[in-house]
Amino acid sequence: AWTGEIKGRVMCDVCSDSSVGPEDHALEGAEVAVLCITQSGEVLNYQAFTDAKGIFTVAETMSESNRWDSCLARPISSFHEHCSIAGNAKAGRRFKYIHPSGYSHTVRPFLYRPATAPLYC
């Protein structure tokens, strides 16, 4: 059997500077969708929610001949009332899944921002 894993983070970009800095924090409970196409052409759709550290994980075990070929991860929503405007989170991240069994692919963080940035920004 073949096992694949996709991980990523969802963060609140407090100063809306499109980068993760010391003022930013993880968003717990944010929803992420991951769509993968297998080598046989089957489409698999996953839904994940972030934990207290803002990390989401999707994992699957399947036959080696039907493993993931390419995937698209995209944020669906942030349930954090003060940080729910999509920053770079508008677009999904497409990638080829080229890892052998047991390895993980990490997606760059998805960022949400507050409606107004704090004065210290």
Side-chain angles (χ1 to χ4, degrees), residues 9-28 30 53-54 78 80-90 93 108-121:
R9 291 186 85 187
V10 180
M11 303 290 293
C12 181
D13 183 14
V14 174
C15 290
S16 300
D17 58 3
S18 299
S19 65
V20 177
E23 73 281 357
D24 300 326
H25 59 87
L27 288 177
E28 183 176 6
K53 294 179 181 174
S78 161
H80 197 284
E81 63 184 71
H82 300 297
C83 199
S84 61
I85 298 170
N88 74 354
K90 292 183 187 117
R93 309 235 192 285
R108 280 184 308 141
F110 292 115
L111 304 176
Y112 283 89
R113 58 185 174 81
T116 53
L119 293 175
Y120 61 78
C121 292

Side-chain angles (χ1 to χ4, degrees), residues 33-85:
V34 179
L35 187 101
C36 291
I37 298 173
T38 66
Q39 291 181 334
S40 66
E42 183 182 1
V43 177
L44 302 172
N45 205 351
Y46 304 94
Q47 177 185 25
F49 292 91
T50 56
D51 64 14
K53 294 179 181 174
I55 297 170
F56 68 89
T57 304
V58 168
E60 180 82 74
T61 299
M62 59 188 69
S63 69
E64 178 74 40
S65 61
N66 199 31
R67 54 172 280 180
W68 295 332
D69 181 49
S70 60
C71 299
L72 168 70
R74 61 187 180 91
I76 301 298
S77 61
S78 161
F79 297 106
H80 197 284
E81 63 184 71
H82 300 297
C83 199
S84 61
I85 298 170

